[in-house]
Amino acid sequence: MKHVKVIGQVLATFILALYIGGSAIAQDHLNTPVVAPKTSPEQAQAEGRYVYNRPTPENSVLLLIDHQTGLISGIQDYTSLAEYKNNVLALAKMAKAFDIPVVLTTSNAQWQNGELLKELKALFPDQKIIRRYGIINAYEDPNFRAALEATGRDHVLIAGVTLGTCTAFPTLSMLQDGYKVFPVIDAAGAWSRYEADAAIARMTQAGAEPVAVFSLLAEMQYDWRRDTANAAGTIFNEHLPEYGLVMDNFWNTVGQAVSDPFGLANDGAAQDDE
């Protein structure tokens, strides 16, 4: 996308302000501060209220568990594996764009479960893959746990195949050990909707906060004026066509009149006059 390198598609609103109301309006938008909740986390907790302790690029780690070719082929809670794979890669690209540490692991890759997705290996070519040869709950594998602890992060983004096993089991264990856990539901996958529903309910009741890939991406960006806007905008454009088309539509027409080769606009005006 050539426009991303020029200004960043996600800054379209500010560019529109320049066209519509002049530079003063745009400057006001650019100087508007981000305002935190009025209540401190300590006060909210003391009063029994929810504390919005959100994941950020600085406090988070991403765990990608068992996204293997054999296991993925059995996912049944998606309309297509293409949609599912798209979400997994978008999540991985988000981590890379925001410099979030990533831990990769596989289970019995030498047998029926298959190897890690080649696209994930290409995204993280220097990343060591934690190979598990029997332990189902990745958090109970000492090598995996050591890799997690080495990041020093306490907000855990986790997606594993399947949701009821490879995501839920480590989530429950990490909650017991005091981590803040965010299962990324639409980058996990389950054998059935029953498994997915049960896993989401079980993890939520235990204290986890389920999230989805693109809302998580927005939460990581949280302000389009940040210097990661181009990278985040590119992920939206490439992996969420519903929003990417909106962005493309703007960049295809900004600053220029849309041609009317069939003269339909003029015909309409003539009919109105009649």
Side-chain angles (χ1 to χ4, degrees), residues 50-62 91 94 98 100 153-158 179-184 208-213 215-223 226:
Y50 174 79
V51 175
Y52 182 31
N53 185 1
R54 67 181 181 84
T56 69
E58 293 74 31
N59 66 18
S60 298
V61 55
L62 173 62
L91 178 63
M94 180 203 75
F98 287 91
I100 296 171
R153 307 295 181 92
D154 59 2
H155 286 52
V156 180
L157 317 173
I158 179 172
Y179 286 95
K180 187 83 172 173
V181 187
F182 302 86
V184 188
E209 296 188 26
V211 294
V213 172
S215 58
L216 178 62
L217 175 56
E219 197 166 25
M220 287 292 170
Q221 180 62 32
Y222 79 82
D223 186 337
R226 298 179 68 226

Side-chain angles (χ1 to χ4, degrees), residues 22-41:
S23 60
I25 295 176
Q27 194 61 43
D28 287 343
H29 283 297
L30 289 169
N31 292 332
T32 302
V34 175
V35 181
K38 294 186 293 184
T39 307
S40 70

Side-chain angles (χ1 to χ4, degrees), residues 18 44 52 69 78 84 98 118 123 179 188 192 201 216 241:
L18 287 171
Y52 182 31
T69 54
Y78 270 82
Y84 169 77
F98 287 91
K118 62 182 181 181
L123 276 172
Y179 286 95
S192 68
L216 178 62

Side-chain angles (χ1 to χ4, degrees), residues 6-154:
V6 177
I7 189 63
Q9 293 184 327
V10 292
L11 299 180
T13 53
F14 301 112
I15 304 303
L16 277 175
L18 287 171
Y19 278 100
I20 296 170
S23 60
I25 295 176
Q27 194 61 43
D28 287 343
H29 283 297
L30 289 169
N31 292 332
T32 302
V34 175
V35 181
K38 294 186 293 184
T39 307
S40 70
E42 294 76 17
Q43 181 182 351
Q45 190 170 28
E47 296 177 1
R49 289 189 238 155
Y50 174 79
V51 175
Y52 182 31
N53 185 1
R54 67 181 181 84
T56 69
E58 293 74 31
N59 66 18
S60 298
V61 55
L62 173 62
L63 310 182
L64 293 176
I65 301 175
D66 300 352
H67 289 89
Q68 299 165 245
T69 54
L71 292 174
I72 288 174
S73 66
I75 291 175
Q76 298 293 322
D77 62 328
Y78 270 82
T79 54
S80 74
L81 289 180
E83 177 188 2
Y84 169 77
K85 187 176 178 182
N86 173 76
N87 290 349
V88 173
L89 296 181
L91 178 63
K93 289 180 181 180
M94 180 203 75
K96 192 162 188 175
F98 287 91
D99 292 324
I100 296 171
V102 175
V103 179
L104 303 173
T105 184
T106 62
S107 172
N108 289 327
Q110 77 281 8
W111 293 337
Q112 72 280 356
N113 290 351
E115 179 58 307
L116 188 73
L117 284 175
K118 62 182 181 181
E119 292 87 350
L120 291 179
K121 296 173 75 173
L123 276 172
F124 307 104
D126 301 321
Q127 182 79 30
K128 179 182 178 181
I129 301 172
I130 308 299
R131 303 291 189 179
R132 305 185 336 274
Y133 297 99
I135 298 175
I136 295 174
N137 182 344
Y139 188 71
E140 294 179 348
D141 184 288
N143 296 316
F144 180 88
R145 190 180 303 187
L148 168 60
E149 292 175 348
T151 68
R153 307 295 181 92
D154 59 2

Side-chain angles (χ1 to χ4, degrees), residues 187-200:
W191 300 131
S192 68
R193 279 304 320 173
Y194 296 110
E195 181 197 356
D197 291 345
I200 293 169

